[in-house]
Amino acid sequence: MKRINILDSSISNLIAAGEIVYDPSCVVKELIENSIDAAAKRISIEITSGGTKMIKVSDDGHGIYRDDIIDAFKCHATSKIQKIDQINKISSLGFRGEALHCISRVSKIEVKTKTSEENIGTHLKIVGGTFGKISDIGAKIGTTICVNDLFYNTPARMKFLKKESIESAKISSLIDKLSLSHPEIFFKFIKDGKVSFCSAGDGKISSALYCVFGKDYFDGSMKINFKAENLKISGFVSKPENARPGKKIQIFFVNGRYVKCKLISNALEDAFKNYMMVGKSPYCVFYIEVPFDSVDVNVHPAKTEIKFSNEQKISDAIYKCVKETIEFENVKKLEKYVAPFKNIKKEKTYYENINDNSMVLNDSAELFSDDSKINLNFENYKKLIYPKEKENIQNETFDTIELKEKSDLIGPPKEVFMNKSLRKNFKLIGEIFSCYIILQCKDSIIIVDKHAAHERIIFEKIRNKAKYYDSQILIKPICVSLEKQEYVVAIENKELFSKSGYEIEDFGEGNIIVRSAPMYEQYDQIKNSIIEISNYISNNRKTTETKKLDWIYQNIACKSAIKAKAKTSIEEIAKLIQDLINNPKIAYCPHGRPIYIIVNKNSIEKRFKRL
Ligand code: ADP
Ligand code: MG
């Protein structure tokens, strides 16, 4: 049996360092936070190879005295707290005094710094925790720390790193957050020799939001402002109609510190309930200010999780101010729509069209059967849809439908649409609840879910044509801003997008350009689809390509299908029923919900006690 062995302190220190410094982005985070604590106004961050080769952070902060430089890299060396009771009133970002120490143990560091009180700069190299000689160097006031070959002496930690592109994306999203929390600081991010991001640094939250997310997000958001005793909430939140599918972009700062917080997120989403489509989430950037001693930031070593001493108060405040902002926005919007009608005499048709969800029969209707396009007048059209109209439907002789189960509502047991005679001998009764199409047969009625049916029909069409995909070139290409990881995934999966009918191109800085899209998709849906697909791929990297493609086809079909509750013209309904008849094998939508149910005449009569 192996005996217990006390680890050599150099090994245990290395392990501890690896726990605190676990990837390039957390090195960048610690270095930038030190610059912010040093009152820097300009911070430049440069990385190569996802930060594994080099991370260089330069600032114009107050610098480090030559006499303190060695101490800065010693364990638990900090200039930020002197006494234990200060821990509870921390306002600076770092205070554990372990970041520089840990980073220096697992990399090769070079520091250049100068304070305003010194005439000459200080230069120092530290390799794997071993200090070199301090020397003079020409330098401006401020500090530059260059971290080379991160984890060169901890290969196990190195193995855990993700692809360079993903590590870069993490750093870039970190810089986004820091520039949002510090709009007064000018940030510049250089990635592999190219400037990848610059913040405005003009002190305005709106400028920071614009720089980080771009025009779309900015235009689609509402300002939040709330003040109560000991609590201030400001920032931006998406308008309900601009909520996004996919990865949540909800950024919270509490007293200037970026935090993850379920409490805030839940309150935000609760406020959006009933104003927003299911499956989407609002995006936001919130700045919350509370007294320093009413939050505990020491819940998690990375300091990203916090605990409020009065959770209910925070949650209520978020809920209230978001809900009020949404309602205010809705009132504004309504007024815009109502205003033009206020002084106009009410036109009968306008009002009736809006309220009348029932079908309107046109004099002429167009029917498409397979490839041919037939123009029909109403009489012919009726003949096609009600083939036995002229004869009395009750007196017709029908094949009896054999149903396997004897319940009131019987879903088809197999994927076989109504039998041949049934398909030929039905009467279209109409549409109910703007959702279901009713067909009458001799001894049953068929209730068709128009959305589910249409969705499956489109899905079949897409899947059958997948090899020579029906794609439309967009006259106006669409620019989509993606969240950092979704962006990386989209670029890496251009091929898969192309197989689904989307031609996309990298447009840099988290943006992609869509040049063509599937034929069935509506223009205003394309952006959402790209976001959803990128998000899906990023969460299902290991899924097979066929499965991914099926998911994408389903997604397109669902979006392109007639919506339940939407008004559908008689032509569209006729076309839908025609398609169903032409595809006798389908009975379920791609998500597995039934397309139609059959209600037996017998069961109706039983309920009326006729039988
Ligand atoms: P902490 O930030 O928790 O104090 P660190 O290990 O990150 O611990 O830094 C140690 C000390 O080094 C800081 O307390 C600060 O005095 C000094 N320091 C680090 N980076 C900078 C910087 N960019 N400018 C000025 N001082 C710095
Ligand atoms: Mg620090």
Side-chain angles (χ1 to χ4, degrees), residues 389-406:
E389 179 72 6
K390 296 242 161 66
E391 300 144 74
N392 182 351
I393 200 155
Q394 296 295 332
N395 298 333
E396 273 284 315
T397 47
F398 285 87
D399 292 358
T400 41
I401 327 156
E402 279 184 22
L403 293 169
K404 291 206 169 154
E405 295 164 42
K406 283 186 182 148

Side-chain angles (χ1 to χ4, degrees), residues 38 40 42 58-64 112-118 121 138-144:
R42 297 174 73 87
S58 308
D59 67 53
D60 61 352
H62 52 53
I64 307 170
K112 189 168 95 173
T113 182
K114 189 175 108 68
T115 62
S116 62
E117 290 155 54
E118 292 163 315
K140 286 189 199 152
I141 296 171
T143 306
T144 298

Side-chain angles (χ1 to χ4, degrees), residues 30-31 34-38 59 61-64 71-74 77-80 93-101 113 142-145 303:
E30 293 294 343
L31 295 180
N34 281 346
S35 300
I36 297 172
D37 285 343
D59 67 53
H62 52 53
I64 307 170
D71 281 348
F73 288 89
K74 281 193 180 153
T78 177
S79 55
K80 295 164 197 171
L93 296 166
F95 57 86
R96 287 163 181 256
E98 56 196 357
L100 287 189
H101 173 74
T113 182
T143 306
T144 298
I145 296 186
K303 294 177 255 173

Side-chain angles (χ1 to χ4, degrees), residues 78 181 352 460 521:
T78 177
S181 66
E352 283 179 354
E460 287 300 314
E521 192 144 70

